[in-house]
């Protein structure tokens, strides 16, 4: 039974965590591109897809620690330090994803859509013209560079949080392979 749980644990980790780490890493540069070019519908759609991948596979990823616990119980290593550290790091990684990465992705998608993304596209498929301020008689697009700069700061923070998430998962993976102090491995 141990081999069965271990095989499932590794497969689910690869299938669930891998797409999240890749999609989350691709999101910040995609967001910068979408914020810089308001009319790029493909960039806005790409952001929505990357965010959806992160959300869906994060939900599937819940099976990774569940199967890990089943594996640890069947191996009799539930109290080993390397496993406890791995479980804590997994919890922190999940917290980073749920509290820092996903909400900022949603914030950036909303910003892209508010700045002329796919949600604002007219029936003809063209982005709407920038609204004109009645008081000043100027285009609202004048503030675009400030909005893009603010969006770029958010993407930089998102990239940092994504990097932390990925580093935590890499550390957990290394601990699972090396298992320092374990009587069952390396």
């Amino acid at each position: 039974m141990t081999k069965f749980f271990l095989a499932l644990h590794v497969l689910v980790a690869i299938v669930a965590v891998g797409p999240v780490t890749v999609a989350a890493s691709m999101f910040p540069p995609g967001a910068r591109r979408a914020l810089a070019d308001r009319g790029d519908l493909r960039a806005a759609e790409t952001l929505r897809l990357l965010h959806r991948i992160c959300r869906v596979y994060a939900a599937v990823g819940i099976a990774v620690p569940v199967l890990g616990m089943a594996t640890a119980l069947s191996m009799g290593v539930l109290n080993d330090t390397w496993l406890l550290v791995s479980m804590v790091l997994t919890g922190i990684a999940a917290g980073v994803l749920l509290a820092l990465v996903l909400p900022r992705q949603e914030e950036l998608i909303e910003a892209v859509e508010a700045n002329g993304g796919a949600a604002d596209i007219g029936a003809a498929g063209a982005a709407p013209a920038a609204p004109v301020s009645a008081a000043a008689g100027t285009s609202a697009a004048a503030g675009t560079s400030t909005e893009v700069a603010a969006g770029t700061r958010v993407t930089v923070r998102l990239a940092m949080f994504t990097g932390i998430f990925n580093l935590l998962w890499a550390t957990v993976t290394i601990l699972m392979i090396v298992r320092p102090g374990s009587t069952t491995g390396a």
Side-chain angles (χ1 to χ4, degrees):
M1 201 59 162
T2 299
K3 289 181 182 181
F4 175 74
F5 284 137
L6 182 59
L8 277 180
H9 173 63
V10 171
L11 285 172
V12 172
I14 291 167
V15 169
V17 178
V20 174
T21 58
V22 172
S25 296
M26 292 173 64
F27 194 95
R32 282 190 288 275
R33 208 170 20 259
L35 287 168
D37 185 2
R38 290 178 172 218
D40 189 353
L41 300 177
R42 180 173 247 173
E45 288 298 321
T46 299
L47 288 185
R48 279 196 224 56
L49 175 64
L50 292 172
H51 178 63
R52 186 174 185 202
I53 290 168
C54 290
R55 276 192 350 255
V56 169
Y57 283 97
V60 173
I62 293 169
V64 175
V66 170
L67 290 167
M69 294 287 283
T71 304
L73 280 171
S74 68
M75 292 174 69
V77 294
L78 196 54
N79 292 325
D80 286 8
T81 303
W82 63 270
L83 184 65
L84 296 173
V85 170
S86 294
M87 291 179 353
V88 167
L89 292 177
T90 297
I92 293 170
V96 168
L97 181 65
L98 296 174
L100 301 173
V101 174
L102 293 176
R104 279 171 182 76
Q105 286 180 349
E106 290 169 4
E107 176 184 326
L108 283 164
I109 288 170
E110 289 172 6
V112 166
E113 289 175 350
N115 286 332
D120 294 330
I121 300 306
V132 175
S133 167
T138 60
S139 172
T144 305
S145 62
T146 305
E147 293 167 3
V148 171
T152 301
R153 283 193 296 276
V154 173
T155 62
V156 168
R157 273 185 252 129
L158 175 59
M160 177 186 69
F161 295 139
T162 300
I164 291 168
F165 171 77
N166 292 342
L167 183 61
L168 287 166
W169 273 114
T171 304
V172 169
T173 302
I174 290 167
L175 283 172
M176 291 290 129
I177 294 169
V178 175
R179 301 186 292 192
S182 171
T183 59
T184 60

